[in-house]
Amino acid sequence: MSAHNPNPRRRMGRAKLSVVLCSHNGEAYLRQQLDSLLRQTRLPDEVVVGDDDSTDGTWSILQDFGGQGRARGIEIRLLRRSPALGVVGNFSESLGVATGDIVFLCDQDDSWRPDKLATIEKRFASDPSLLLLWTDARLVDSLGRPLGATLFDALALADSEKSAVRDGRAFEILLRRSMATGATVALQRRALQSAWPVGEGWLHDEWLAVVLSAIGFVDMLEEQLIDYRQHERNEVGMRKRSWKDKWRGLIAPWRSALQREVARLNSLEQRLVALGSAIRTDALSQLASRREHLQRRIALGSQPRWRRLPSIWREARRGDYRRFDTGSHAMLRDMLRHD
């Protein structure tokens, strides 16, 4: 990450807000997103855009936006990258350029509610210990029409998970599932140094959330502060799963997915060990317990289904399916899957 460059224009007593947007061939929806930034009731102080080798009209749209933003007193930094770095690489480089106190991650194809920046700035101001915050979002189709569901609906967040996050126990939840979607995330820039670079196998948003939750307090807002557009070119889309989707997931081969998750935990463990005393005291033990649970589940795949029952029952009695995965759903998956 680059060093902080003091901004003489920053108003005394007010945080500097930076928006970091990464684009790639985004001309279809980009202008709507950029317009929503200019409609904010609390304008950003800085917008950093990393364009990942676009070959359509994206760069021209960005240049037009640069002129509009600068006319409104916003610092605009347009970075053109070739060859393309990919989503994680582009966000990594672009975040390193941002100089704000609070940094907002931004996708190219969404649209922000006019009070998003003001709402999140107020939340950070109310709690200086807050390192990272994410919100709900309204799911819309390619034309911006509501799909009748929210991001949290699609993620099927349980009340117990929401309570754990609010109570300062987000690490135990984020260790087993991703809840912080990048398009809704904001964080203290001072915390970035501890979380960078992104670990092998992780997306930048889930990595930031889980690492920072091991260091300090992260939180969520149930307000839908963006329209999260679902279309055929989403890098990471989101929709409510049908019963057919759920059944296919239950019977699908699962060993390779579990092995990938163990590898991700190994990568996370290396970072947490490097952070030393900065992390919460129980973080490494929680990580090790979840990895051991996954390794026991991997071993089940080599057994006939009927012979898996005793091992599955032991995991259930220990409460590990509930603590480290999706409870009865994961148990059923282990019973039905074939590897």
PDB file of all heavy atoms in Angstrom, residues 26 28-34 36 107-112 137-145 147 183 226-238:
ATOM      1  N   GLY A  26     -17.084  -1.730 -19.248  1.00  0.00           N
ATOM      2  CA  GLY A  26     -18.317  -1.518 -18.489  1.00  0.00           C
ATOM      3  C   GLY A  26     -19.252  -0.476 -19.058  1.00  0.00           C
ATOM      4  O   GLY A  26     -20.092   0.042 -18.316  1.00  0.00           O
ATOM      5  N   ALA A  28     -21.925  -0.424 -20.632  1.00  0.00           N
ATOM      6  CA  ALA A  28     -23.370  -0.634 -20.590  1.00  0.00           C
ATOM      7  C   ALA A  28     -24.018   0.024 -19.373  1.00  0.00           C
ATOM      8  O   ALA A  28     -25.121   0.564 -19.463  1.00  0.00           O
ATOM      9  CB  ALA A  28     -23.679  -2.129 -20.611  1.00  0.00           C
ATOM     10  N   TYR A  29     -23.360  -0.024 -18.231  1.00  0.00           N
ATOM     11  CA  TYR A  29     -23.973   0.455 -16.993  1.00  0.00           C
ATOM     12  C   TYR A  29     -23.139   1.488 -16.247  1.00  0.00           C
ATOM     13  O   TYR A  29     -23.604   2.079 -15.269  1.00  0.00           O
ATOM     14  CB  TYR A  29     -24.209  -0.734 -16.041  1.00  0.00           C
ATOM     15  CG  TYR A  29     -24.947  -1.883 -16.669  1.00  0.00           C
ATOM     16  CD1 TYR A  29     -24.316  -3.117 -16.869  1.00  0.00           C
ATOM     17  CD2 TYR A  29     -26.267  -1.742 -17.083  1.00  0.00           C
ATOM     18  CE1 TYR A  29     -24.997  -4.178 -17.445  1.00  0.00           C
ATOM     19  CE2 TYR A  29     -26.951  -2.800 -17.669  1.00  0.00           C
ATOM     20  CZ  TYR A  29     -26.304  -4.019 -17.850  1.00  0.00           C
ATOM     21  OH  TYR A  29     -26.979  -5.056 -18.427  1.00  0.00           O
ATOM     22  N   LEU A  30     -21.922   1.725 -16.683  1.00  0.00           N
ATOM     23  CA  LEU A  30     -20.979   2.547 -15.924  1.00  0.00           C
ATOM     24  C   LEU A  30     -21.483   3.961 -15.690  1.00  0.00           C
ATOM     25  O   LEU A  30     -21.347   4.511 -14.592  1.00  0.00           O
ATOM     26  CB  LEU A  30     -19.628   2.578 -16.640  1.00  0.00           C
ATOM     27  CG  LEU A  30     -18.531   3.439 -16.014  1.00  0.00           C
ATOM     28  CD1 LEU A  30     -18.217   2.975 -14.599  1.00  0.00           C
ATOM     29  CD2 LEU A  30     -17.266   3.394 -16.875  1.00  0.00           C
ATOM     30  N   ARG A  31     -22.070   4.574 -16.712  1.00  0.00           N
ATOM     31  CA  ARG A  31     -22.489   5.968 -16.567  1.00  0.00           C
ATOM     32  C   ARG A  31     -23.539   6.123 -15.462  1.00  0.00           C
ATOM     33  O   ARG A  31     -23.532   7.107 -14.714  1.00  0.00           O
ATOM     34  CB  ARG A  31     -23.036   6.498 -17.897  1.00  0.00           C
ATOM     35  CG  ARG A  31     -23.142   8.025 -17.931  1.00  0.00           C
ATOM     36  CD  ARG A  31     -23.615   8.528 -19.272  1.00  0.00           C
ATOM     37  NE  ARG A  31     -22.693   8.194 -20.347  1.00  0.00           N
ATOM     38  CZ  ARG A  31     -21.614   8.907 -20.660  1.00  0.00           C
ATOM     39  NH1 ARG A  31     -21.312   9.994 -19.952  1.00  0.00           N
ATOM     40  NH2 ARG A  31     -20.838   8.546 -21.667  1.00  0.00           N
ATOM     41  N   GLN A  32     -24.433   5.134 -15.327  1.00  0.00           N
ATOM     42  CA  GLN A  32     -25.447   5.203 -14.263  1.00  0.00           C
ATOM     43  C   GLN A  32     -24.787   5.168 -12.887  1.00  0.00           C
ATOM     44  O   GLN A  32     -25.207   5.879 -11.972  1.00  0.00           O
ATOM     45  CB  GLN A  32     -26.426   4.047 -14.413  1.00  0.00           C
ATOM     46  CG  GLN A  32     -27.264   4.105 -15.679  1.00  0.00           C
ATOM     47  CD  GLN A  32     -28.149   2.875 -15.820  1.00  0.00           C
ATOM     48  OE1 GLN A  32     -28.897   2.536 -14.901  1.00  0.00           O
ATOM     49  NE2 GLN A  32     -28.077   2.211 -16.956  1.00  0.00           N
ATOM     50  N   GLN A  33     -23.763   4.341 -12.735  1.00  0.00           N
ATOM     51  CA  GLN A  33     -23.073   4.285 -11.455  1.00  0.00           C
ATOM     52  C   GLN A  33     -22.360   5.595 -11.163  1.00  0.00           C
ATOM     53  O   GLN A  33     -22.444   6.134 -10.047  1.00  0.00           O
ATOM     54  CB  GLN A  33     -22.074   3.121 -11.452  1.00  0.00           C
ATOM     55  CG  GLN A  33     -21.185   3.021 -10.233  1.00  0.00           C
ATOM     56  CD  GLN A  33     -21.945   2.710  -8.963  1.00  0.00           C
ATOM     57  OE1 GLN A  33     -22.725   3.527  -8.476  1.00  0.00           O
ATOM     58  NE2 GLN A  33     -21.718   1.530  -8.408  1.00  0.00           N
ATOM     59  N   LEU A  34     -21.660   6.131 -12.144  1.00  0.00           N
ATOM     60  CA  LEU A  34     -20.938   7.379 -11.947  1.00  0.00           C
ATOM     61  C   LEU A  34     -21.888   8.532 -11.647  1.00  0.00           C
ATOM     62  O   LEU A  34     -21.599   9.391 -10.796  1.00  0.00           O
ATOM     63  CB  LEU A  34     -20.090   7.684 -13.180  1.00  0.00           C
ATOM     64  CG  LEU A  34     -18.974   6.672 -13.491  1.00  0.00           C
ATOM     65  CD1 LEU A  34     -18.309   7.007 -14.816  1.00  0.00           C
ATOM     66  CD2 LEU A  34     -17.946   6.620 -12.367  1.00  0.00           C
ATOM     67  N   SER A  36     -24.659   8.254 -10.097  1.00  0.00           N
ATOM     68  CA  SER A  36     -25.130   8.094  -8.718  1.00  0.00           C
ATOM     69  C   SER A  36     -24.099   8.603  -7.715  1.00  0.00           C
ATOM     70  O   SER A  36     -24.463   9.047  -6.622  1.00  0.00           O
ATOM     71  CB  SER A  36     -25.494   6.630  -8.439  1.00  0.00           C
ATOM     72  OG  SER A  36     -24.357   5.814  -8.247  1.00  0.00           O
ATOM     73  N   ASP A 107     -18.493  -1.066  -7.496  1.00  0.00           N
ATOM     74  CA  ASP A 107     -18.531  -1.815  -8.751  1.00  0.00           C
ATOM     75  C   ASP A 107     -19.025  -0.917  -9.878  1.00  0.00           C
ATOM     76  O   ASP A 107     -19.699   0.086  -9.645  1.00  0.00           O
ATOM     77  CB  ASP A 107     -19.445  -3.035  -8.625  1.00  0.00           C
ATOM     78  CG  ASP A 107     -18.814  -4.145  -7.796  1.00  0.00           C
ATOM     79  OD1 ASP A 107     -17.621  -4.013  -7.440  1.00  0.00           O
ATOM     80  OD2 ASP A 107     -19.502  -5.138  -7.506  1.00  0.00           O
ATOM     81  N   GLN A 108     -18.754  -1.320 -11.102  1.00  0.00           N
ATOM     82  CA  GLN A 108     -19.039  -0.480 -12.253  1.00  0.00           C
ATOM     83  C   GLN A 108     -20.493  -0.543 -12.721  1.00  0.00           C
ATOM     84  O   GLN A 108     -20.917   0.302 -13.516  1.00  0.00           O
ATOM     85  CB  GLN A 108     -18.141  -0.872 -13.428  1.00  0.00           C
ATOM     86  CG  GLN A 108     -18.423  -2.269 -13.968  1.00  0.00           C
ATOM     87  CD  GLN A 108     -17.504  -2.650 -15.115  1.00  0.00           C
ATOM     88  OE1 GLN A 108     -16.609  -1.892 -15.500  1.00  0.00           O
ATOM     89  NE2 GLN A 108     -17.732  -3.816 -15.684  1.00  0.00           N
ATOM     90  N   ASP A 109     -21.260  -1.516 -12.246  1.00  0.00           N
ATOM     91  CA  ASP A 109     -22.570  -1.756 -12.847  1.00  0.00           C
ATOM     92  C   ASP A 109     -23.737  -1.586 -11.877  1.00  0.00           C
ATOM     93  O   ASP A 109     -24.852  -1.994 -12.184  1.00  0.00           O
ATOM     94  CB  ASP A 109     -22.625  -3.159 -13.465  1.00  0.00           C
ATOM     95  CG  ASP A 109     -22.026  -4.234 -12.572  1.00  0.00           C
ATOM     96  OD1 ASP A 109     -21.746  -3.935 -11.403  1.00  0.00           O
ATOM     97  OD2 ASP A 109     -21.819  -5.357 -13.053  1.00  0.00           O
ATOM     98  N   ASP A 110     -23.497  -0.981 -10.709  1.00  0.00           N
ATOM     99  CA  ASP A 110     -24.565  -0.782  -9.738  1.00  0.00           C
ATOM    100  C   ASP A 110     -25.012   0.669  -9.746  1.00  0.00           C
ATOM    101  O   ASP A 110     -24.628   1.460 -10.600  1.00  0.00           O
ATOM    102  CB  ASP A 110     -24.091  -1.189  -8.340  1.00  0.00           C
ATOM    103  CG  ASP A 110     -23.624  -2.641  -8.286  1.00  0.00           C
ATOM    104  OD1 ASP A 110     -24.263  -3.481  -8.939  1.00  0.00           O
ATOM    105  OD2 ASP A 110     -22.616  -2.918  -7.596  1.00  0.00           O
ATOM    106  N   SER A 111     -25.826   1.036  -8.762  1.00  0.00           N
ATOM    107  CA  SER A 111     -26.251   2.424  -8.588  1.00  0.00           C
ATOM    108  C   SER A 111     -26.445   2.653  -7.099  1.00  0.00           C
ATOM    109  O   SER A 111     -27.061   1.829  -6.417  1.00  0.00           O
ATOM    110  CB  SER A 111     -27.561   2.680  -9.336  1.00  0.00           C
ATOM    111  OG  SER A 111     -27.957   4.035  -9.194  1.00  0.00           O
ATOM    112  N   TRP A 112     -25.897   3.760  -6.590  1.00  0.00           N
ATOM    113  CA  TRP A 112     -25.922   4.020  -5.155  1.00  0.00           C
ATOM    114  C   TRP A 112     -27.081   4.929  -4.771  1.00  0.00           C
ATOM    115  O   TRP A 112     -27.404   5.893  -5.492  1.00  0.00           O
ATOM    116  CB  TRP A 112     -24.615   4.682  -4.722  1.00  0.00           C
ATOM    117  CG  TRP A 112     -23.439   3.748  -4.701  1.00  0.00           C
ATOM    118  CD1 TRP A 112     -23.386   2.478  -5.190  1.00  0.00           C
ATOM    119  CD2 TRP A 112     -22.149   4.023  -4.159  1.00  0.00           C
ATOM    120  NE1 TRP A 112     -22.145   1.942  -4.981  1.00  0.00           N
ATOM    121  CE2 TRP A 112     -21.366   2.873  -4.348  1.00  0.00           C
ATOM    122  CE3 TRP A 112     -21.583   5.136  -3.532  1.00  0.00           C
ATOM    123  CZ2 TRP A 112     -20.032   2.793  -3.940  1.00  0.00           C
ATOM    124  CZ3 TRP A 112     -20.266   5.077  -3.114  1.00  0.00           C
ATOM    125  CH2 TRP A 112     -19.495   3.907  -3.321  1.00  0.00           C
ATOM    126  N   ALA A 137     -28.388  -4.639   0.126  1.00  0.00           N
ATOM    127  CA  ALA A 137     -28.573  -4.025  -1.180  1.00  0.00           C
ATOM    128  C   ALA A 137     -29.876  -4.522  -1.782  1.00  0.00           C
ATOM    129  O   ALA A 137     -30.329  -5.638  -1.483  1.00  0.00           O
ATOM    130  CB  ALA A 137     -27.404  -4.359  -2.112  1.00  0.00           C
ATOM    131  N   ARG A 138     -30.480  -3.719  -2.624  1.00  0.00           N
ATOM    132  CA  ARG A 138     -31.653  -4.164  -3.370  1.00  0.00           C
ATOM    133  C   ARG A 138     -31.184  -4.837  -4.655  1.00  0.00           C
ATOM    134  O   ARG A 138     -30.371  -4.271  -5.400  1.00  0.00           O
ATOM    135  CB  ARG A 138     -32.547  -2.968  -3.695  1.00  0.00           C
ATOM    136  CG  ARG A 138     -33.842  -3.348  -4.416  1.00  0.00           C
ATOM    137  CD  ARG A 138     -34.769  -2.162  -4.561  1.00  0.00           C
ATOM    138  NE  ARG A 138     -34.269  -1.195  -5.521  1.00  0.00           N
ATOM    139  CZ  ARG A 138     -35.024  -0.257  -6.100  1.00  0.00           C
ATOM    140  NH1 ARG A 138     -36.307  -0.163  -5.772  1.00  0.00           N
ATOM    141  NH2 ARG A 138     -34.494   0.604  -6.940  1.00  0.00           N
ATOM    142  N   LEU A 139     -31.669  -6.037  -4.910  1.00  0.00           N
ATOM    143  CA  LEU A 139     -31.315  -6.731  -6.142  1.00  0.00           C
ATOM    144  C   LEU A 139     -32.207  -6.223  -7.276  1.00  0.00           C
ATOM    145  O   LEU A 139     -33.434  -6.171  -7.145  1.00  0.00           O
ATOM    146  CB  LEU A 139     -31.479  -8.242  -5.990  1.00  0.00           C
ATOM    147  CG  LEU A 139     -30.653  -8.927  -4.892  1.00  0.00           C
ATOM    148  CD1 LEU A 139     -30.851 -10.440  -4.958  1.00  0.00           C
ATOM    149  CD2 LEU A 139     -29.180  -8.582  -5.012  1.00  0.00           C
ATOM    150  N   VAL A 140     -31.572  -5.850  -8.387  1.00  0.00           N
ATOM    151  CA  VAL A 140     -32.306  -5.372  -9.562  1.00  0.00           C
ATOM    152  C   VAL A 140     -31.818  -6.120 -10.792  1.00  0.00           C
ATOM    153  O   VAL A 140     -30.730  -6.699 -10.794  1.00  0.00           O
ATOM    154  CB  VAL A 140     -32.140  -3.850  -9.759  1.00  0.00           C
ATOM    155  CG1 VAL A 140     -32.637  -3.080  -8.541  1.00  0.00           C
ATOM    156  CG2 VAL A 140     -30.681  -3.487 -10.046  1.00  0.00           C
ATOM    157  N   ASP A 141     -32.630  -6.112 -11.843  1.00  0.00           N
ATOM    158  CA  ASP A 141     -32.227  -6.790 -13.074  1.00  0.00           C
ATOM    159  C   ASP A 141     -31.383  -5.868 -13.940  1.00  0.00           C
ATOM    160  O   ASP A 141     -30.996  -4.761 -13.520  1.00  0.00           O
ATOM    161  CB  ASP A 141     -33.440  -7.342 -13.829  1.00  0.00           C
ATOM    162  CG  ASP A 141     -34.354  -6.247 -14.388  1.00  0.00           C
ATOM    163  OD1 ASP A 141     -33.960  -5.055 -14.400  1.00  0.00           O
ATOM    164  OD2 ASP A 141     -35.476  -6.587 -14.830  1.00  0.00           O
ATOM    165  N   SER A 142     -31.089  -6.305 -15.161  1.00  0.00           N
ATOM    166  CA  SER A 142     -30.195  -5.537 -16.035  1.00  0.00           C
ATOM    167  C   SER A 142     -30.750  -4.160 -16.379  1.00  0.00           C
ATOM    168  O   SER A 142     -29.992  -3.243 -16.713  1.00  0.00           O
ATOM    169  CB  SER A 142     -29.918  -6.319 -17.316  1.00  0.00           C
ATOM    170  OG  SER A 142     -31.122  -6.567 -18.025  1.00  0.00           O
ATOM    171  N   LEU A 143     -32.080  -3.997 -16.284  1.00  0.00           N
ATOM    172  CA  LEU A 143     -32.716  -2.716 -16.589  1.00  0.00           C
ATOM    173  C   LEU A 143     -32.965  -1.891 -15.329  1.00  0.00           C
ATOM    174  O   LEU A 143     -33.583  -0.827 -15.397  1.00  0.00           O
ATOM    175  CB  LEU A 143     -34.038  -2.945 -17.325  1.00  0.00           C
ATOM    176  CG  LEU A 143     -33.931  -3.664 -18.678  1.00  0.00           C
ATOM    177  CD1 LEU A 143     -35.307  -3.878 -19.285  1.00  0.00           C
ATOM    178  CD2 LEU A 143     -33.037  -2.877 -19.637  1.00  0.00           C
ATOM    179  N   GLY A 144     -32.499  -2.386 -14.191  1.00  0.00           N
ATOM    180  CA  GLY A 144     -32.681  -1.660 -12.945  1.00  0.00           C
ATOM    181  C   GLY A 144     -34.010  -1.908 -12.267  1.00  0.00           C
ATOM    182  O   GLY A 144     -34.364  -1.199 -11.316  1.00  0.00           O
ATOM    183  N   ARG A 145     -34.745  -2.917 -12.710  1.00  0.00           N
ATOM    184  CA  ARG A 145     -36.047  -3.228 -12.113  1.00  0.00           C
ATOM    185  C   ARG A 145     -35.855  -4.131 -10.895  1.00  0.00           C
ATOM    186  O   ARG A 145     -35.121  -5.115 -10.967  1.00  0.00           O
ATOM    187  CB  ARG A 145     -36.949  -3.913 -13.140  1.00  0.00           C
ATOM    188  CG  ARG A 145     -37.261  -3.041 -14.344  1.00  0.00           C
ATOM    189  CD  ARG A 145     -38.011  -3.811 -15.411  1.00  0.00           C
ATOM    190  NE  ARG A 145     -37.246  -4.947 -15.912  1.00  0.00           N
ATOM    191  CZ  ARG A 145     -37.484  -5.556 -17.070  1.00  0.00           C
ATOM    192  NH1 ARG A 145     -38.470  -5.138 -17.850  1.00  0.00           N
ATOM    193  NH2 ARG A 145     -36.755  -6.593 -17.435  1.00  0.00           N
ATOM    194  N   LEU A 147     -35.986  -6.982  -8.223  1.00  0.00           N
ATOM    195  CA  LEU A 147     -36.235  -8.412  -8.350  1.00  0.00           C
ATOM    196  C   LEU A 147     -37.032  -8.971  -7.182  1.00  0.00           C
ATOM    197  O   LEU A 147     -37.257 -10.184  -7.099  1.00  0.00           O
ATOM    198  CB  LEU A 147     -34.903  -9.158  -8.470  1.00  0.00           C
ATOM    199  CG  LEU A 147     -34.117  -8.890  -9.756  1.00  0.00           C
ATOM    200  CD1 LEU A 147     -32.738  -9.545  -9.695  1.00  0.00           C
ATOM    201  CD2 LEU A 147     -34.881  -9.404 -10.973  1.00  0.00           C
ATOM    202  N   ALA A 183     -19.334  -4.602  -3.226  1.00  0.00           N
ATOM    203  CA  ALA A 183     -20.050  -3.424  -3.710  1.00  0.00           C
ATOM    204  C   ALA A 183     -20.690  -2.627  -2.588  1.00  0.00           C
ATOM    205  O   ALA A 183     -21.097  -1.473  -2.786  1.00  0.00           O
ATOM    206  CB  ALA A 183     -21.121  -3.852  -4.709  1.00  0.00           C
ATOM    207  N   ILE A 226     -27.567   0.368  -1.936  1.00  0.00           N
ATOM    208  CA  ILE A 226     -27.258   0.348  -3.367  1.00  0.00           C
ATOM    209  C   ILE A 226     -28.273  -0.533  -4.087  1.00  0.00           C
ATOM    210  O   ILE A 226     -28.917  -1.403  -3.483  1.00  0.00           O
ATOM    211  CB  ILE A 226     -25.833  -0.159  -3.681  1.00  0.00           C
ATOM    212  CG1 ILE A 226     -25.735  -1.684  -3.522  1.00  0.00           C
ATOM    213  CG2 ILE A 226     -24.781   0.537  -2.835  1.00  0.00           C
ATOM    214  CD1 ILE A 226     -24.447  -2.260  -4.106  1.00  0.00           C
ATOM    215  N   ASP A 227     -28.414  -0.298  -5.386  1.00  0.00           N
ATOM    216  CA  ASP A 227     -29.081  -1.239  -6.284  1.00  0.00           C
ATOM    217  C   ASP A 227     -27.993  -2.124  -6.871  1.00  0.00           C
ATOM    218  O   ASP A 227     -27.100  -1.637  -7.589  1.00  0.00           O
ATOM    219  CB  ASP A 227     -29.820  -0.506  -7.407  1.00  0.00           C
ATOM    220  CG  ASP A 227     -31.159   0.055  -6.955  1.00  0.00           C
ATOM    221  OD1 ASP A 227     -31.578  -0.241  -5.821  1.00  0.00           O
ATOM    222  OD2 ASP A 227     -31.778   0.798  -7.730  1.00  0.00           O
ATOM    223  N   TYR A 228     -28.059  -3.408  -6.541  1.00  0.00           N
ATOM    224  CA  TYR A 228     -27.038  -4.378  -6.942  1.00  0.00           C
ATOM    225  C   TYR A 228     -27.552  -5.085  -8.194  1.00  0.00           C
ATOM    226  O   TYR A 228     -28.407  -5.943  -8.133  1.00  0.00           O
ATOM    227  CB  TYR A 228     -26.815  -5.352  -5.789  1.00  0.00           C
ATOM    228  CG  TYR A 228     -25.685  -6.337  -5.949  1.00  0.00           C
ATOM    229  CD1 TYR A 228     -24.612  -6.110  -6.795  1.00  0.00           C
ATOM    230  CD2 TYR A 228     -25.683  -7.512  -5.201  1.00  0.00           C
ATOM    231  CE1 TYR A 228     -23.581  -7.018  -6.909  1.00  0.00           C
ATOM    232  CE2 TYR A 228     -24.655  -8.436  -5.298  1.00  0.00           C
ATOM    233  CZ  TYR A 228     -23.606  -8.179  -6.160  1.00  0.00           C
ATOM    234  OH  TYR A 228     -22.589  -9.086  -6.272  1.00  0.00           O
ATOM    235  N   ARG A 229     -26.990  -4.687  -9.330  1.00  0.00           N
ATOM    236  CA  ARG A 229     -27.507  -5.138 -10.614  1.00  0.00           C
ATOM    237  C   ARG A 229     -27.066  -6.564 -10.937  1.00  0.00           C
ATOM    238  O   ARG A 229     -25.888  -6.901 -10.850  1.00  0.00           O
ATOM    239  CB  ARG A 229     -27.022  -4.199 -11.729  1.00  0.00           C
ATOM    240  CG  ARG A 229     -27.789  -4.354 -13.041  1.00  0.00           C
ATOM    241  CD  ARG A 229     -27.160  -3.509 -14.143  1.00  0.00           C
ATOM    242  NE  ARG A 229     -27.041  -2.109 -13.772  1.00  0.00           N
ATOM    243  CZ  ARG A 229     -27.963  -1.186 -14.014  1.00  0.00           C
ATOM    244  NH1 ARG A 229     -29.094  -1.535 -14.608  1.00  0.00           N
ATOM    245  NH2 ARG A 229     -27.765   0.074 -13.662  1.00  0.00           N
ATOM    246  N   GLN A 230     -28.053  -7.393 -11.322  1.00  0.00           N
ATOM    247  CA  GLN A 230     -27.790  -8.773 -11.715  1.00  0.00           C
ATOM    248  C   GLN A 230     -27.939  -8.885 -13.233  1.00  0.00           C
ATOM    249  O   GLN A 230     -29.002  -8.581 -13.783  1.00  0.00           O
ATOM    250  CB  GLN A 230     -28.764  -9.716 -11.014  1.00  0.00           C
ATOM    251  CG  GLN A 230     -28.777  -9.578  -9.502  1.00  0.00           C
ATOM    252  CD  GLN A 230     -27.420  -9.870  -8.898  1.00  0.00           C
ATOM    253  OE1 GLN A 230     -26.940 -11.004  -8.940  1.00  0.00           O
ATOM    254  NE2 GLN A 230     -26.798  -8.844  -8.318  1.00  0.00           N
ATOM    255  N   HIS A 231     -26.885  -9.317 -13.890  1.00  0.00           N
ATOM    256  CA  HIS A 231     -26.923  -9.452 -15.349  1.00  0.00           C
ATOM    257  C   HIS A 231     -25.949 -10.534 -15.769  1.00  0.00           C
ATOM    258  O   HIS A 231     -25.234 -11.109 -14.943  1.00  0.00           O
ATOM    259  CB  HIS A 231     -26.599  -8.114 -16.027  1.00  0.00           C
ATOM    260  CG  HIS A 231     -25.258  -7.542 -15.642  1.00  0.00           C
ATOM    261  ND1 HIS A 231     -24.098  -7.837 -16.309  1.00  0.00           N
ATOM    262  CD2 HIS A 231     -24.903  -6.702 -14.628  1.00  0.00           C
ATOM    263  CE1 HIS A 231     -23.086  -7.201 -15.740  1.00  0.00           C
ATOM    264  NE2 HIS A 231     -23.541  -6.507 -14.715  1.00  0.00           N
ATOM    265  N   GLU A 232     -25.930 -10.821 -17.048  1.00  0.00           N
ATOM    266  CA  GLU A 232     -25.179 -11.977 -17.540  1.00  0.00           C
ATOM    267  C   GLU A 232     -23.670 -11.822 -17.420  1.00  0.00           C
ATOM    268  O   GLU A 232     -22.931 -12.805 -17.501  1.00  0.00           O
ATOM    269  CB  GLU A 232     -25.547 -12.268 -18.999  1.00  0.00           C
ATOM    270  CG  GLU A 232     -25.106 -11.216 -20.011  1.00  0.00           C
ATOM    271  CD  GLU A 232     -25.990  -9.976 -20.051  1.00  0.00           C
ATOM    272  OE1 GLU A 232     -27.028  -9.965 -19.334  1.00  0.00           O
ATOM    273  OE2 GLU A 232     -25.652  -9.031 -20.788  1.00  0.00           O
ATOM    274  N   ARG A 233     -23.178 -10.615 -17.176  1.00  0.00           N
ATOM    275  CA  ARG A 233     -21.729 -10.398 -17.131  1.00  0.00           C
ATOM    276  C   ARG A 233     -21.229 -10.082 -15.729  1.00  0.00           C
ATOM    277  O   ARG A 233     -20.101  -9.638 -15.564  1.00  0.00           O
ATOM    278  CB  ARG A 233     -21.342  -9.265 -18.096  1.00  0.00           C
ATOM    279  CG  ARG A 233     -21.604  -9.595 -19.557  1.00  0.00           C
ATOM    280  CD  ARG A 233     -21.122  -8.486 -20.462  1.00  0.00           C
ATOM    281  NE  ARG A 233     -19.689  -8.282 -20.341  1.00  0.00           N
ATOM    282  CZ  ARG A 233     -19.033  -7.224 -20.838  1.00  0.00           C
ATOM    283  NH1 ARG A 233     -19.706  -6.273 -21.449  1.00  0.00           N
ATOM    284  NH2 ARG A 233     -17.733  -7.112 -20.689  1.00  0.00           N
ATOM    285  N   ASN A 234     -22.051 -10.313 -14.710  1.00  0.00           N
ATOM    286  CA  ASN A 234     -21.581 -10.103 -13.336  1.00  0.00           C
ATOM    287  C   ASN A 234     -20.318 -10.902 -13.066  1.00  0.00           C
ATOM    288  O   ASN A 234     -20.245 -12.090 -13.380  1.00  0.00           O
ATOM    289  CB  ASN A 234     -22.635 -10.570 -12.320  1.00  0.00           C
ATOM    290  CG  ASN A 234     -23.724  -9.545 -12.096  1.00  0.00           C
ATOM    291  OD1 ASN A 234     -24.842  -9.748 -12.512  1.00  0.00           O
ATOM    292  ND2 ASN A 234     -23.389  -8.444 -11.449  1.00  0.00           N
ATOM    293  N   GLU A 235     -19.307 -10.255 -12.477  1.00  0.00           N
ATOM    294  CA  GLU A 235     -18.115 -10.980 -12.033  1.00  0.00           C
ATOM    295  C   GLU A 235     -18.487 -11.946 -10.913  1.00  0.00           C
ATOM    296  O   GLU A 235     -18.074 -13.098 -10.882  1.00  0.00           O
ATOM    297  CB  GLU A 235     -17.041  -9.992 -11.560  1.00  0.00           C
ATOM    298  CG  GLU A 235     -15.715 -10.625 -11.226  1.00  0.00           C
ATOM    299  CD  GLU A 235     -14.968 -11.103 -12.450  1.00  0.00           C
ATOM    300  OE1 GLU A 235     -15.144 -10.498 -13.527  1.00  0.00           O
ATOM    301  OE2 GLU A 235     -14.208 -12.088 -12.339  1.00  0.00           O
ATOM    302  N   VAL A 236     -19.275 -11.447  -9.963  1.00  0.00           N
ATOM    303  CA  VAL A 236     -19.837 -12.284  -8.889  1.00  0.00           C
ATOM    304  C   VAL A 236     -21.290 -11.872  -8.747  1.00  0.00           C
ATOM    305  O   VAL A 236     -21.583 -10.799  -8.234  1.00  0.00           O
ATOM    306  CB  VAL A 236     -19.097 -12.085  -7.550  1.00  0.00           C
ATOM    307  CG1 VAL A 236     -19.739 -12.948  -6.467  1.00  0.00           C
ATOM    308  CG2 VAL A 236     -17.618 -12.429  -7.700  1.00  0.00           C
ATOM    309  N   GLY A 237     -22.211 -12.696  -9.208  1.00  0.00           N
ATOM    310  CA  GLY A 237     -23.623 -12.368  -9.140  1.00  0.00           C
ATOM    311  C   GLY A 237     -24.255 -12.902  -7.869  1.00  0.00           C
ATOM    312  O   GLY A 237     -23.629 -13.586  -7.066  1.00  0.00           O
ATOM    313  N   MET A 238     -25.532 -12.583  -7.697  1.00  0.00           N
ATOM    314  CA  MET A 238     -26.238 -13.023  -6.496  1.00  0.00           C
ATOM    315  C   MET A 238     -27.713 -13.162  -6.825  1.00  0.00           C
ATOM    316  O   MET A 238     -28.307 -12.268  -7.435  1.00  0.00           O
ATOM    317  CB  MET A 238     -26.063 -11.983  -5.376  1.00  0.00           C
ATOM    318  CG  MET A 238     -26.633 -12.405  -4.047  1.00  0.00           C
ATOM    319  SD  MET A 238     -25.885 -13.900  -3.378  1.00  0.00           S
ATOM    320  CE  MET A 238     -24.179 -13.340  -3.188  1.00  0.00           C
TER     321      MET A 238
END
